[in-house]
Amino acid sequence: MASLVPLKEKKLMEVKLGELPSWILMRDFTPKGIAGAFQRGYDRYYNKYINVRKGSISGVNMILAAYVLFSYCISYKELRSEEA
Amino acid sequence: MLSRVVFAAAATAAPCLKNTAVLGSRVLQATRAFHTGQPCPTPVPPLPEYGGKVRLGLIPEEFFQYLYPKTGVTGPYMLGTGLSLYCLSKEIYVITPETISTIAVVGLMVYVIKKYGASIGEFIDKLNEQKIAQLEEVKQASIKQIQDASDGEKTQQALVQKHHYIFDVQRNNIAMALEVTYRERLHRVYKEVKNRLDYHISMQDMIRRKEQEHMIDWVEKQVVQSISAQQEKETITKCIQDLKLLTKKAQAQPVM
């Protein structure tokens, strides 16, 4: 594909669908890279919703909602078997 | 302090001097340059005022904006409704007794947040502002301290410029004291020398006087010795005769 920017430096939203596998494989999967990815994600969320002058409850609320969803997914199988 | 100015000037003139590691720690300290880079104009961006916008307290605004071109304003809500009905009907979400408590708790939370959210927010904002005011105070105090120190330095420098007056006065005083001691000593020398010379003069005078007296005494003694007894008798009779003649003359004269 003719791309003006090299593939490695594109963000996820700018990667075209066909380039996705090669993009994923190009990411940094060393422990340092993975830790860096978690740190980056945390920093982004923190600086956008929590580290502000007048933060609202939605900063914490979204984390709690994500936790609720996640724990529901974990206990889904058990709920299905219990209901049947 | 002046040495630092000199070396900063030298560093700007010859940039190669900045990074040479010269042998000898003493010289190394002298050639290292401090604070040669430009100070950063905006070091830290201020905190954003509000966080990212979130709708319904759960879903970020970016999602709605992402779907707006294709589905308009109601698109995400329809998506949400459709998904929830699908999950319910396909039993992906199982309705258990916990569902009722979940609905109750969520309802209560929504009510409390809607009612007391703003006031709690203001309270926490006040706490924050107090903290920021404290830090600001510390910063201002530090700035003021440094400003005062630099002003003190400037006045000290200005004073140093005037020191030459003091030095002139001191120099004059010392010159006068030197002159005074010189003249004093000169006078003392003169007095001492005169003293010695006077002593010699008075010695000579005394010796001459003593010699004169001695000579006079000696001459008198010789003369007295030389007058024999017979000569003395003759002289006395002659004197008596002369006296008689004189009395005669004297008696004769006042009568005339």
Side-chain angles (χ1 to χ4, degrees):
Chain A
M1 324 267 167
S3 36
L4 300 160
V5 181
L7 187 56
K8 183 157 188 166
E9 294 164 7
K10 274 201 214 169
K11 294 193 205 171
L12 179 57
M13 288 291 143
E14 295 160 14
V15 171
K16 301 205 189 338
L17 210 54
E19 296 171 354
L20 201 55
S22 53
W23 185 86
I24 289 183
L25 288 175
M26 246 187 235
R27 300 299 292 166
D28 185 13
F29 286 111
T30 64
K32 184 170 165 219
I34 293 179
F38 276 113
Q39 183 65 32
R40 277 199 306 273
Y42 172 79
D43 280 345
R44 259 180 72 184
Y45 186 82
Y46 182 76
N47 286 327
K48 183 150 188 212
Y49 292 106
I50 303 188
N51 197 12
V52 293
R53 287 255 175 88
K54 296 203 185 359
S56 72
I57 193 138
S58 58
V60 175
N61 214 0
M62 282 195 281
I63 295 291
L64 290 176
Y67 171 68
V68 162
L69 235 54
F70 178 69
S71 63
Y72 185 81
C73 291
I74 294 285
S75 48
Y76 177 67
K77 224 181 177 102
E78 169 188 312
L79 278 174
R80 284 295 274 183
S81 60
E82 156 192 311
E83 171 250 344
Chain B
M1 204 177 96
L2 285 174
S3 66
R4 228 181 274 167
V5 170
V6 166
F7 283 117
T12 51
C16 60
L17 278 178
K18 249 198 288 182
N19 293 328
T20 46
V22 185
L23 303 165
S25 63
R26 183 169 46 93
V27 187
L28 178 64
Q29 279 176 12
T31 53
R32 203 187 301 155
F34 297 102
H35 296 302
T36 49
Q38 296 292 341
C40 205
T42 55
V44 171
L47 274 183
E49 188 73 18
Y50 294 102
K53 283 174 82 49
V54 174
R55 266 202 227 193
L56 292 178
L58 277 182
I59 304 162
E61 185 72 24
E62 281 83 13
F63 183 67
F64 292 80
Q65 296 302 327
Y66 183 66
L67 291 181
Y68 178 75
K70 292 286 197 257
T71 57
V73 181
T74 52
Y77 296 109
M78 299 311 298
L79 179 64
T81 317
L83 269 180
S84 59
L85 284 177
Y86 170 71
C87 288
L88 277 172
S89 68
K90 281 283 221 185
E91 285 264 301
I92 295 178
Y93 177 67
V94 181
I95 297 195
T96 62
E98 296 217 353
T99 311
I100 314 279
S101 66
T102 312
I103 292 174
V105 164
V106 165
L108 184 68
M109 267 172 47
V110 165
Y111 172 73
V112 165
I113 288 173
K114 280 268 189 289
K115 188 143 187 228
Y116 298 115
S119 55
I120 294 181
E122 276 168 19
F123 172 70
I124 294 179
D125 281 344
K126 237 178 359 178
L127 290 181
N128 251 0
E129 245 158 67
Q130 277 174 3
K131 268 195 241 172
I132 289 179
Q134 251 180 352
L135 293 176
E136 186 74 28
E137 220 178 273
V138 167
K139 179 176 107 167
Q140 288 302 329
S142 167
I143 286 179
K144 186 169 174 306
Q145 202 182 22
I146 293 175
Q147 187 73 27
D148 287 345
S150 79
D151 285 343
E153 276 288 327
K154 287 214 178 75
T155 48
Q156 285 294 322
Q157 281 179 355
L159 278 179
V160 163
Q161 293 302 319
K162 304 280 183 350
H163 272 181
H164 65 92
Y165 288 130
I166 294 179
F167 296 152
D168 280 343
V169 166
Q170 281 177 341
R171 238 179 273 135
N172 283 347
N173 282 353
I174 289 172
M176 274 200 288
L178 281 174
E179 188 73 25
V180 162
T181 29
Y182 172 69
R183 287 191 188 177
E184 208 179 329
R185 288 185 186 165
L186 207 58
H187 182 66
R188 225 170 78 186
V189 161
Y190 163 76
K191 253 182 16 186
E192 289 288 319
V193 167
K194 187 155 169 301
N195 213 7
R196 304 288 162 81
L197 293 176
D198 282 346
Y199 169 73
H200 285 300
I201 290 173
S202 57
M203 272 284 283
Q204 285 178 359
D205 282 348
M206 189 193 71
I207 287 175
R208 196 178 304 141
R209 204 178 51 221
K210 282 281 186 237
E211 285 176 353
Q212 273 185 350
E213 285 177 6
H214 185 255
M215 210 176 285
I216 290 172
D217 285 342
W218 189 77
V219 164
E220 276 185 11
K221 220 171 29 174
Q222 292 297 344
V223 164
V224 165
Q225 273 181 2
S226 73
I227 300 177
S228 60
Q230 198 242 341
Q231 213 175 355
E232 203 174 331
K233 240 188 218 171
E234 279 182 18
T235 339
I236 285 178
T237 47
K238 185 132 190 289
C239 285
I240 291 174
Q241 281 179 2
D242 281 337
L243 272 169
K244 281 186 183 161
L245 269 171
L246 275 172
T247 47
K248 278 192 193 158
K249 264 199 197 155
Q251 280 176 356
Q253 281 212 340
V255 169
M256 270 171 61

